[in-house]
Amino acid sequence: MTVKDVMTTEVAAVRANAPFHTIAALLIDRGVSGVPVVDAAQRVVGVVSEADLVRKEEFKERYYGEAYRPPLRTRLRHRLGEDGDVERRAAGDTAEELMTSPAVVTTPDSSIVLVARMMDRHGVKRLPVVASDGTLVGIVSRRDVIRVFVRSDAEIERRVRDDVIVRNLWADPEAVRITSREGIVTISGELETRSQAAAAVRVTRNLDGVVDVVDELSWRADDTVPVPVVWGGA
């Protein structure tokens, strides 16, 4: 599946001059953890997250002299040399001053697996989805990504039968038995060749929602064994 299959197209976004309180209220009202910041042409220029807003609280002790000790992760970030950027954001009052820029974005045609890896690599919970010109067309969240893997067993069985056995392998669906329990798929029965059986398992394992595959397939012919060449003599 790709991003366009799961993304939300009605996106809450703000302009660069949006004040702190407006952004905070938007996050609360929409129940989201971050919002894209767009310019006049609706191109994404940054993202403001909950983490950006709470920096004011994290650094109260340092910048405002109040008795507050930031968490260890925050103190480590400070020690690793991000002082200038952290101080700027802690003092920020508008989206432009608070946002992370450039934003980590994705496109409608990106795969869900790639998006999951990007979220993990950058430590973010959602990614703005942009068109080829950089304009905002949607947003994809961790929940959207997880939803792809939470398919019913009946849906998984149908997809293995229709997409793998019939469309991919052109095999007789009556020749195999497919069962799914909590995303673990068992494939049994007999296919024409050993390579066909191996392909059925491999393609099934790559389907969205499949946790694992139990291979109980047999085959009529082992086409993976080289046929010996017999040379004739005079």
Side-chain angles (χ1 to χ4, degrees):
M1 294 188 72
T2 60
V3 169
K4 65 175 175 286
D5 297 317
V6 300
M7 71 181 189
T8 300
T9 55
E10 295 182 5
V11 187
V14 297
R15 297 289 291 274
N17 62 351
F20 182 101
H21 283 178
T22 297
I23 301 168
L26 185 60
L27 294 183
I28 294 171
D29 291 343
R30 293 296 186 96
V32 295
S33 60
V35 291
V37 183
V38 297
D39 62 15
Q42 291 298 300
R43 290 186 295 264
V44 177
V45 296
V47 172
V48 179
S49 68
E50 291 172 330
D52 296 322
L53 298 185
V54 300
R55 279 191 175 90
K56 284 182 176 292
E57 296 300 318
E58 289 180 347
F59 287 88
K60 275 185 177 181
E61 180 184 33
R62 183 174 179 191
Y63 295 114
Y64 303 111
E66 298 185 20
Y68 181 87
R69 184 169 178 77
L72 175 61
R73 185 174 178 181
T74 300
R75 298 199 303 274
L76 288 175
R77 190 169 61 223
H78 154 56
R79 292 173 185 172
L80 290 174
E82 297 181 13
D83 286 19
D85 187 54
V86 169
E87 183 173 0
R88 174 184 64 82
R89 294 193 194 186
D93 293 320
T94 65
E96 186 174 20
E97 296 166 338
L98 294 161
M99 71 183 183
T100 298
S101 181
V104 180
V105 300
T106 186
T107 62
D109 294 324
S110 296
S111 74
I112 294 300
V113 173
L114 175 61
V115 167
R117 289 176 178 171
M118 290 175 65
M119 288 180 175
D120 181 63
R121 184 184 311 123
H122 295 281
V124 296
K125 297 179 180 179
R126 54 186 55 234
L127 294 177
V129 184
V130 299
S132 57
D133 61 355
T135 56
L136 181 67
V137 295
I139 200 158
V140 59
S141 68
R142 282 183 183 176
R143 180 173 296 180
D144 297 326
V145 172
I146 292 172
R147 190 179 298 122
V148 171
F149 299 101
V150 186
R151 294 181 178 275
S152 69
D153 287 319
E155 171 66 8
I156 291 173
E157 291 173 4
R158 184 193 65 77
R159 289 199 62 201
V160 174
R161 183 176 297 102
D162 295 348
D163 296 347
V164 178
I165 303 302
V166 177
R167 294 194 184 96
N168 198 297
L169 301 178
W170 292 3
D172 180 6
E174 300 299 324
V176 296
R177 182 171 182 267
I178 303 160
T179 59
S180 177
R181 296 293 180 271
E182 300 295 334
I184 299 176
V185 178
T186 300
I187 310 179
S188 58
E190 185 179 62
L191 291 174
E192 190 65 33
T193 64
R194 182 174 184 175
S195 62
Q196 195 177 39
V201 173
R202 183 176 64 253
V203 177
T204 298
R205 185 170 281 120
N206 287 330
L207 284 179
D208 297 326
V210 173
V211 177
D212 200 0
V213 178
V214 178
D215 178 10
E216 296 181 354
L217 284 169
S218 59
W219 55 87
R220 298 185 186 91
D222 188 351
D223 58 342
T224 64
V225 178
V227 178
V229 177
V230 179
W231 298 94

